Amino acid sequence: MLAEVLKQDDDWFEVCHNYIQWLFPTREFSRVTPDAPVLDKVTIDAFLSDFLLRQHLRAAFYRILSFYGLAPTANGIVKGLNWDERKSSWFTQNTHNSLRITRILKSLAALGLKVEAKIFKTALRNLCDTEADCGITAVSVKFWMDAV
């Protein structure tokens, strides 16, 4: 259940590799989790027309932001209180989390949270441009910029 996944701790989010395809489905088949859902027109239309589905997706998005040490604000996405603790799992070196972020951006944009996807993309770009310890590759950043 969504509520059970969202209450997991950050260690679980790091070591578990199949939840991301379920929380943030895309139009692409997952090689890592072959039984994960793939977006089709019916599912996309359901999200676009159902506020509650988008709210559940937003809750998943906010949880994953916390996992990355980020926080949503009225003015965008900023470093969260746990930034220093969390950034080493994804920001200071290129990891599998770069692929996860691409998936999140694509999913948000496809399922009615395009504004949130653009805000996230902008925050990621700003972090990579301003933080001295950014270890994200230019290839990963390009995937993020092209995702939305």
Side-chain angles (χ1 to χ4, degrees), residues 8-28:
Q8 299 299 318
D9 66 18
D10 289 338
D11 290 336
W12 182 90
F13 270 79
E14 182 59 42
V15 299
C16 184
H17 293 279
N18 64 353
Y19 71 89
I20 200 79
Q21 293 84 0
W22 289 89
L23 291 182
F24 301 100
T26 64
R27 293 178 174 103
E28 293 103 18

Side-chain angles (χ1 to χ4, degrees), residues 28 30 40 111 130 136-137:
E28 293 103 18
S30 170
D40 59 17
L111 296 176
T130 61
I136 306 298
T137 67

Side-chain angles (χ1 to χ4, degrees), residues 44-59:
I44 292 169
D45 288 347
F47 271 84
L48 295 178
S49 66
D50 189 325
F51 178 77
L52 184 58
L53 287 175
R54 291 191 309 278
Q55 282 299 93
H56 288 159
L57 180 61
R58 189 173 285 111

